[in-house]
Amino acid sequence: MDIEPLSVREQVFVRLRERGGFLLAPILFALILAWPLPELEPRAHRLAAVMAAVVVLWVTEALALPVSALMGACACVVLRIAPAKEVFAPFADPLMFLFIGSFILARAIFLHGLDRRLAFGVLALRWIDQRPNRILFAFGAVTAFISAWISNTATTAMMYAIGLAILAFLSEQRGAGGAALDRRYAAGLMLMTSFSATIGGLATPIGTPPNIIGLGFIRNMIGVELPFFKWLMIGGPMAISMFLLLYACLNYFCPAGIARLEGSRELLLGERGRLGPWTAGQRSTLLAFSVAAILWILPGVAALVAGETSSVYRTLVACVPESIAALVGALLLFLLPGGGGRRAINWHQAKDIDWGVILLYGGGFSLGVLSTTTGLATAVGKTLTTWIPLDESLTLLAAVTLIAATISQVTSNTAAANIIVPIVIMVAKQLDVDPLEPALGATFGASLGFMLPVSTPCNAIVYGSGQVPLRLMIRYGFLLGVAGSAVVVTLVRLLLPLVR
């Protein structure tokens, strides 16, 4: 199905934004480079010009985000901010291989239809009982769960197709003389698809790129490791809390108008039946993913049982970090059977993962590291602390979470994380405040882009259905963004002391 994700007005806005970026980025680069900044070292001064131009290109998306990141890295070498070996070192960071391994696993899950089997299996449960409110809850819960492990955009695309099938069936029923379904329910189901996919990505480190980007800055700029299990102890409750808020909001504002949707269970059972029996590829993919998940969680279990000072925990962390766990699971796919004499995945299929996100992370991480080594981040932190007197940790946490959420409304989540997290860490250090709290707040806040079709690809996909008026996306997206920011601040504050 071809989807036109943006209206004419939205397309005009995107074109103007891109053209503005092409014009503003070189002008800003030249102005900063020419402007006297005696408080900065020459290398930091040149880096400030580069970073300003890259941030403009990210926010306006005048170029593909990975291209802008690579341009920034190349400019750092050309302008002698740092040698090439130092600039490109972050591209080989272990977290890059966490990306690669988890993306290959997600690719296999998609190729073998494991995600569709889970979705139809849950939606066809007898407990749903053809009730619209339960369908909405289960549909969102499945979307959020899948999105915790594979791309938010891929999850939305899959569940969007399932949601449209449900809505088409209900439309046929209405045309055949069945009970009328409130049109608001269709909008609610589409918004549940997008919003719950975004929320589910908060649960695990691999759920969405901003999580890994934030983890990289936290590890390198603060010196704190947050293993998979510890992240899950914060991100899991956060995703659950936000999903329950989302469901309460959409169930209230987007009612179905009828108590039961006769025939919906038969539709879902029929779709599940068409999937057929479990294939060799599905079993192999489930096994490979289970191995990776166990290896991700095992160090956390060892820490709870034996303590973080135990030799068992230290050995597991040293031998099987998150990146190795992801690669072990991914490599198993190349060994396990996929049926018909083939393996569960081959390189031709695996190479179609989103390499752009990996390059974006490498380029953004490189700029963040250089901002620290050149002293630029320290100078920016000092300046911001004089402009914004935030001398209390809770106030700082709330402010940076809201700022990150606001930025994510008009640019990609990955760009928002690359822009805000390193600055937040340096501001916290200048204020003599624990930087881990605001860094996590900014990382989670960068994923709260709900208001506009251009905020995330997930929003653009469901907006293209024609079922979601822009005013509803803005209204409910604003409510969810504000409520989500409050949840982030509350749970980071409450749960972080338990996992440190």
Side-chain angles (χ1 to χ4, degrees):
M1 177 185 296
D2 294 327
I3 300 171
E4 180 59 54
L6 300 176
S7 68
V8 174
R9 184 179 300 176
E10 289 290 334
Q11 291 177 38
V12 170
F13 169 76
V14 169
R15 284 197 297 271
L16 290 175
R17 186 181 67 180
E18 291 174 350
R19 291 172 184 173
F22 273 121
L23 180 65
L24 182 58
I27 292 175
L28 193 59
F29 173 81
L31 283 175
I32 293 178
L33 204 58
W35 198 268
L37 295 172
E39 66 275 15
L40 292 179
E41 294 291 331
R43 289 195 310 146
H45 189 170
R46 296 193 294 272
L47 179 61
V50 172
M51 290 191 69
V54 171
V55 167
V56 168
L57 292 174
W58 277 342
V59 171
T60 61
E61 297 184 67
L63 294 171
L65 298 180
V67 174
S68 300
L70 287 172
M71 286 180 65
C74 291
C76 288
V77 178
V78 172
L79 295 175
R80 300 184 66 182
I81 295 169
K85 186 175 181 179
E86 181 179 343
V87 170
F88 290 102
F91 285 82
D93 188 89
L95 288 177
M96 299 287 277
F97 296 94
L98 174 59
F99 266 128
I100 293 170
S102 59
F103 282 4
I104 292 175
L105 284 167
R107 177 74 175 147
I109 289 172
F110 172 78
L111 288 173
H112 291 289
L114 206 56
D115 45 4
R116 292 179 62 83
R117 185 172 291 280
L118 170 65
F120 284 122
V122 172
L123 290 173
L125 289 175
R126 189 172 298 278
W127 168 81
I128 305 298
D129 196 29
Q130 305 182 109
R131 298 182 185 273
N133 59 336
R134 295 184 182 180
I135 289 176
L136 184 67
F137 181 88
F139 187 84
V142 170
T143 304
F145 178 80
I146 294 173
S147 187
W149 307 100
I150 70 174
S151 158
N152 296 352
T153 305
T155 302
T156 301
M158 179 197 70
M159 296 303 291
Y160 168 82
I162 295 173
L164 283 183
I166 294 173
L167 293 176
F169 170 79
L170 298 178
S171 177
E172 292 172 5
Q173 291 294 97
R174 181 176 55 208
L181 185 74
D182 194 312
R183 293 196 319 182
R184 290 176 293 176
Y185 184 79
L189 192 67
M190 289 291 98
L191 287 174
M192 176 63 84
T193 309
S194 171
F195 291 173
S196 60
T198 300
I199 288 170
L202 300 173
T204 67
I206 64 169
T208 186
N211 295 355
I212 300 182
I213 290 169
L215 280 174
F217 285 122
I218 287 169
R219 188 194 65 194
N220 286 275
M221 297 180 70
I222 305 177
V224 174
E225 294 281 355
L226 278 180
F228 192 98
F229 188 78
K230 287 189 176 182
W231 180 283
L232 191 62
M233 290 178 66
I234 300 176
M238 192 171 296
I240 292 171
S241 301
M242 288 187 62
F243 172 73
L244 293 176
L245 282 172
L246 170 64
Y247 170 72
C249 174
L250 294 180
N251 190 51
Y252 179 79
F253 289 111
C254 302
I258 53 178
R260 290 171 65 88
L261 302 171
E262 299 296 338
S264 59
R265 185 165 186 267
E266 286 73 13
L267 166 72
L268 294 167
L269 283 172
E271 292 292 338
R272 187 179 70 178
R274 275 191 280 275
L275 294 176
W278 279 71
T279 65
Q282 289 173 344
R283 288 193 293 268
S284 294
T285 301
L286 181 60
L287 175 60
F289 176 80
S290 299
V291 169
I294 290 170
L295 292 176
W296 279 328
I297 295 172
L298 196 58
V301 175
L304 290 176
V305 175
E308 292 189 6
T309 59
S310 66
S311 60
V312 174
Y313 172 75
R314 291 181 176 178
T315 300
L316 286 172
V317 170
C319 296
V320 196
E322 285 91 343
S323 54
I324 296 300
L327 288 176
V328 167
L331 292 173
L332 280 174
L333 294 169
F334 293 92
L335 303 174
L336 294 171
R342 298 183 300 271
R343 301 297 179 186
I345 200 170
N346 57 49
W347 182 248
H348 180 72
Q349 297 166 324
K351 68 179 177 61
D352 289 334
I353 64 174
D354 192 350
W355 294 100
V357 171
I358 298 169
L359 294 175
L360 171 62
Y361 170 76
F365 192 25
S366 176
L367 292 175
V369 171
L370 289 174
S371 70
T372 302
T373 58
T374 61
L376 176 62
T378 301
V380 171
K382 287 180 179 178
T383 302
L384 288 178
T385 54
T386 59
W387 290 352
I388 311 173
L390 300 172
D391 55 358
E392 207 276 324
S393 60
L394 179 59
T395 308
L396 179 61
L397 172 61
V400 300
T401 302
L402 285 171
I403 290 171
T406 301
I407 293 174
S408 72
Q409 307 304 324
V410 294
T411 190
S412 78
N413 297 347
T414 48
N418 268 316
I419 293 167
I420 192 69
V421 176
I423 294 176
V424 163
I425 291 173
M426 295 311 300
V427 169
K429 288 182 177 180
Q430 291 298 320
L431 294 171
D432 199 24
V433 170
D434 178 11
L436 184 55
E437 260 194 8
L440 278 175
T443 299
F444 285 121
S447 290
L448 301 184
F450 299 111
M451 288 180 58
L452 298 170
V454 295
S455 298
T456 66
C458 303
N459 285 7
I461 289 171
V462 300
Y463 185 66
S465 68
Q467 302 285 355
V468 184
L470 182 59
R471 58 183 175 80
L472 291 186
M473 181 174 283
I474 292 174
R475 181 187 306 168
Y476 302 146
F478 174 78
L479 290 174
L480 187 59
V482 172
S485 296
V487 170
V488 169
V489 171
T490 302
L491 291 185
V492 167
R493 190 78 172 179
L494 291 177
L495 298 179
L496 183 57
L498 302 179
V499 302
R500 293 206 69 170

